[in-house]
């Protein structure tokens, strides 16, 4: 998130290219700590758990959940990765992968109560797909034809797709993750090129340093 802005509708079509940038800012809003926000934001398949359980004191972390969903889709060749038919089914599809062991403590932490409909849907999916209640390893969700992701990619996914928004990686933390080491220098040169094109040669140093402090 940039300049205290929550995008609030992170999905693949919200990413422009040449250069890569966020577009579709129709639901964006400034973040103010302690302020309650409408949970009826974000495209269903990219809604974070806090939105789905009705937690109104959310922050930038809802965008990082969307990033995690996009990454999961790329790594598993399944887009969207969580395919709920409505919000309740969406939460159940997430729980079928992430399990229940961390969900209940998270709901207690946020002081939210799952509805009877949510509990029923979760019970159905858990009994079918994840009776242990544990988080499923990502590699068990890969189709046979899908290339095996790197350990760095799996680690990044693990740190993005977590229930607790306070534990989820921030944008700055994600950018410093080893997963991006291969392209870090290339991105640096691209930022420099764009800033030079805009006749702001000093801006690229400021931009790069801002995200690598």
């Amino acid at each position: 998130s940039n300049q205290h802005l929550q995008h609030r509708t992170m999905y693949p079509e919200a990413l422009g290219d040449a250069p890569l940038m966020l577009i579709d800012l129709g639901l964006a809003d400034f973040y103010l700590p302690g302020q309650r926000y409408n949970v009826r934001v974000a495209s269903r398949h990219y809604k974070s758990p806090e939105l789905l359980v009705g937690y109104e004191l959310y922050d930038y972390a809802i965008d990082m959940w969307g990033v995690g969903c996009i990454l999961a889709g790329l790594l598993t060749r399944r887009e969207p990765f969580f395919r709920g038919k409505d919000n309740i089914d969406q939460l159940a599809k997430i729980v079928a992968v992430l399990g229940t062991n961390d969900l209940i403590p998270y709901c207690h932490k946020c002081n939210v109560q799952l509805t009877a409909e949510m509990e029923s849907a979760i019970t159905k999916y858990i009994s079918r797909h994840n009776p242990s209640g544990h988080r499923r390893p990502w590699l068990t969700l890969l189709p046979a034809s899908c290339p095996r992701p790197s350990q760095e990619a799996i680690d990044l996914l693990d740190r993005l797709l977590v229930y607790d928004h306070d534990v989820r990686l921030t944008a700055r933390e994600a950018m410093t993750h080893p997963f991006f080491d291969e392209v870090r220098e290339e991105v640096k040169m691209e930022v420099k090129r764009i800033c030079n094109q805009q006749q702001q040669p000093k801006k690229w140093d400021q931009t790069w340093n801002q995200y690598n402090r």
Side-chain angles (χ1 to χ4, degrees):
S1 300
N2 188 32
Q3 301 299 323
H4 309 292
L5 192 69
Q6 301 174 101
H7 188 273
R8 303 203 303 175
T9 181
M10 190 70 68
Y11 65 118
E13 288 75 14
L15 301 175
D17 56 11
L20 181 66
M21 65 178 68
L22 285 176
I23 57 178
D24 190 4
L25 298 173
L27 291 176
D29 201 354
F30 287 101
Y31 171 65
L32 297 173
Q35 178 168 312
R36 294 183 179 275
Y37 292 93
N38 192 334
V39 296
R40 299 182 66 180
V41 295
S43 177
R44 180 197 311 142
H45 296 147
Y46 304 88
K47 280 182 180 287
S48 65
E50 54 266 42
L51 295 177
L52 293 168
V53 300
Y55 182 64
E56 297 176 329
L57 294 170
Y58 60 80
D59 59 18
Y60 312 112
I62 66 169
D63 293 335
M64 298 312 296
W65 175 271
V67 171
C69 290
I70 294 171
L71 179 61
L74 291 171
L75 295 179
T76 63
R77 305 296 193 269
R78 174 184 169 85
E79 183 61 46
F81 182 75
F82 297 114
R83 305 180 183 184
K85 64 180 183 291
D86 53 43
N87 285 349
I88 292 175
D89 190 55
Q90 183 69 16
L91 179 61
K93 291 285 178 65
I94 292 171
V95 174
V97 174
L98 300 191
T100 54
N101 292 354
D102 295 327
L103 175 64
I104 304 307
Y106 177 64
C107 289
H108 291 162
K109 171 183 174 178
C110 295
N111 196 29
V112 295
Q113 180 71 42
L114 296 176
T115 66
E117 291 83 2
M118 288 179 182
E119 291 181 347
S120 175
I122 288 171
T123 299
K124 179 182 73 172
Y125 275 100
I126 285 294
S127 62
R128 288 182 182 177
H129 305 290
N130 191 358
S132 71
H134 296 304
R135 185 183 182 95
R136 294 182 64 186
W138 295 109
L139 293 180
T140 66
L141 303 172
L142 292 178
S145 60
C146 187
R148 184 185 179 98
S150 67
Q151 186 57 48
E152 290 80 9
I154 295 297
D155 183 74
L156 179 59
L157 196 57
D158 266 334
R159 295 170 186 270
L160 289 171
L161 293 183
V162 293
Y163 290 120
D164 194 334
H165 58 277
D166 289 328
V167 176
R168 210 173 295 152
L169 287 184
T170 65
R172 180 170 293 165
E173 289 169 342
M175 288 176 67
T176 63
H177 191 276
F179 175 71
F180 295 108
D181 285 352
E182 283 187 32
V183 298
R184 198 174 308 282
E185 190 62 28
E186 181 180 341
V187 171
K188 181 178 180 179
M189 296 308 297
E190 179 67 10
V191 171
K192 181 178 181 179
R193 183 187 67 80
I194 293 170
C195 291
N196 285 339
Q197 280 185 345
Q198 297 174 348
Q199 298 183 338
Q200 295 177 302
K202 292 183 179 180
K203 184 178 179 182
W204 84 273
D205 278 319
Q206 298 168 353
T207 303
W208 191 253
N209 289 336
Q210 177 184 359
Y211 293 106
N212 287 276
R213 287 193 294 229

